[in-house]
Amino acid sequence: MAKLETQDPYRELVKQQIIAINRALTKVMYGDFTPVVRSVGKDQDLEYLCIMINVAINAARNAVKERQQAQELEKVTRELQDVQYQLAKSEKMSAIGLVAASVAHEVKNPLGIIVQGISYLKTCLEHGKTISLTDLDKIEKAATRADESVLSLLDLSRWQKLDVHQEDIHQMIEESLNLVAHVRKQGNVQARTFFEALTPMLWIDRRQMTQVLVNLFLNAMDAMPTGGELSVKTHIMPLPTGHAIFTHCPDNYAERENVFVCDIQDTGMGISPENITHVFEPLFSTKPATTGRGLGLSICKTIVENHLGSIELKSYIGKGTQVSIVLPTEKKSLKILGASEGDR
Amino acid sequence: MKKRKILLIDDEADILYFVKMNLEATGKYEVVTADSGEKGIAIAIAKQQDFDLIITDYKMKGMDGKKVMDILKHSLVKSPIIIFSIYHDDNSKITESIRKTADGLISKPFTNEKLIEVIEQALKP
């Protein structure tokens, strides 16, 4: 029988073709997509079959290639996110190193007052002198100061989890101005708002952004010891080409994308050019040691940048200072900055 | 015994107050205070006061303690100088140069006994 079959020329042709197809498909099964099935005779049906099989092998090759590329892309993206996260973290760590060196001073100074104060109280007791309340107050004040320095350090070093919701920023500005209203009235400072942003709904952490606003308002008022005007302007604008925000969040913004801008301006004494480059550094302060701890602006910067925003400062001696906060109007993925996992 | 006259420079008002009170309570010292490096130098040089000893804080707003010491060491003022608030375990170049120039170092916080010990050491002829 078998011998008879092989004698049928068409059958023989089909058999040869099947062997060729099998050989090619076996290679394909092992991941080699190079084989091309050639038709062994002149039969048109078999030729079509070969063409269709070649097309199928080609399609399979492309599909596999695409899947590999997608996997590679995903891997690269993951690595990139990792690097970005590490970078953000190491920047933060060097900021913490900077703080640690200075915080030693911030804590040791009040401790110096406490230890000296106690030495003095001991002397008073030994010599039967009355201890004055003012002296005790000085010691208590120093202890509180040391405690506050440590707390601020903890605030700065913590990866604060962002609790992001859609919030009305105009309402938050009004509320923050109310929070500082007593200081404002005492200091004879007039506050004016110019809300030009038509869509004030932003994706932000209400508590942290309020901290930023209050901090900036208090700074503005500190700059106007004899009174003045504090103005808060908001507007939406397309992001200018080459805006600073592209440097620290390169992949999060598109050119000309709409962003929210809030300008906080005072008519105070201004900041000198040699100080302006340092204002965002932790523990930099031009205020007396007893009032400013120099953490306010660096915390503001961290919070705004965790929202993928940016904060800038312009100042003119004798004329005043303007702080501009830029925030995204669209919801952004905030995971790279470690904002979603809380305490990293 | 004649009281030793000390110039104390620190931008912390409460440190100036307590250290002055403590040192004067011993009956051995008379303390003049200045709340900045600039004022300290003005008192030491311009007023031509004879101080047996000058004590200055290192980290201050405006002129720091090293600058104060460098200026005083290059002036006619020959009083020994003690510096506050340098950490002993810090081996940076700044600390090294201060250690070489200063007549005494003491890091905050310090007790009065420790301060007097360092003062007496610096006052030894």
Side-chain angles (χ1 to χ4, degrees), chain A residues 109 116 120 135 145 287, chain B residues 12 17 21-22 61 108:
Chain A
N109 247 344
Q116 278 297 304
Y120 178 62
D135 291 345
R145 225 178 93 199
K287 297 174 195 171
Chain B
E12 288 274 0
Y17 171 79
M21 295 303 258
N22 280 330
K61 297 259 180 292
K108 284 181 185 171

Side-chain angles (χ1 to χ4, degrees), chain A residues 8-158:
Chain A
D8 178 344
Y10 185 68
R11 261 198 119 92
E12 180 62 24
L13 194 66
V14 170
K15 195 180 167 189
Q16 290 303 318
Q17 192 65 67
I18 288 174
I19 291 171
I21 291 172
N22 264 343
R23 203 177 291 143
L25 288 184
T26 312
K27 284 190 181 171
V28 170
M29 243 166 61
Y30 287 100
D32 174 5
F33 294 96
T34 51
V36 177
V37 184
R38 294 185 200 289
S39 67
V40 291
K42 295 273 182 235
D43 184 83
Q44 212 177 29
D45 287 338
L46 289 180
E47 237 171 80
Y48 282 148
L49 179 67
C50 292
I51 291 172
M52 288 315 287
I53 288 174
N54 285 334
V55 169
I57 293 177
N58 236 329
R61 176 174 54 214
N62 288 342
V64 169
K65 209 164 137 189
E66 267 169 34
R67 204 173 62 198
Q68 278 173 348
Q69 278 173 344
Q71 278 171 350
E72 258 165 52
L73 195 71
E74 201 182 312
K75 196 179 150 214
V76 170
T77 311
R78 217 177 309 119
E79 281 172 0
L80 204 69
Q81 283 183 348
D82 243 31
V83 169
Q84 258 175 310
Y85 169 68
Q86 290 302 334
L87 209 69
K89 202 172 162 181
S90 73
E91 263 175 33
K92 188 112 178 183
M93 285 315 286
S94 69
I96 290 169
L98 207 65
V99 173
S102 310
V103 101
H105 175 259
E106 291 301 306
V107 175
K108 276 173 177 270
N109 247 344
L111 280 181
I113 296 173
I114 295 170
V115 174
Q116 278 297 304
I118 289 171
S119 289
Y120 178 62
L121 295 182
K122 275 158 79 179
T123 318
C124 287
L125 283 175
E126 278 164 19
H127 295 81
K129 272 171 72 180
T130 40
I131 291 169
S132 86
L133 267 179
T134 352
D135 291 345
L136 291 175
D137 279 346
K138 285 183 168 76
I139 297 172
E140 191 182 23
K141 211 172 76 195
T144 315
R145 225 178 93 199
D147 182 48
E148 280 171 2
S149 291
V150 174
L151 280 183
S152 315
L153 176 72
L154 289 177
D155 261 1
L156 191 74
S157 61
R158 197 179 304 137

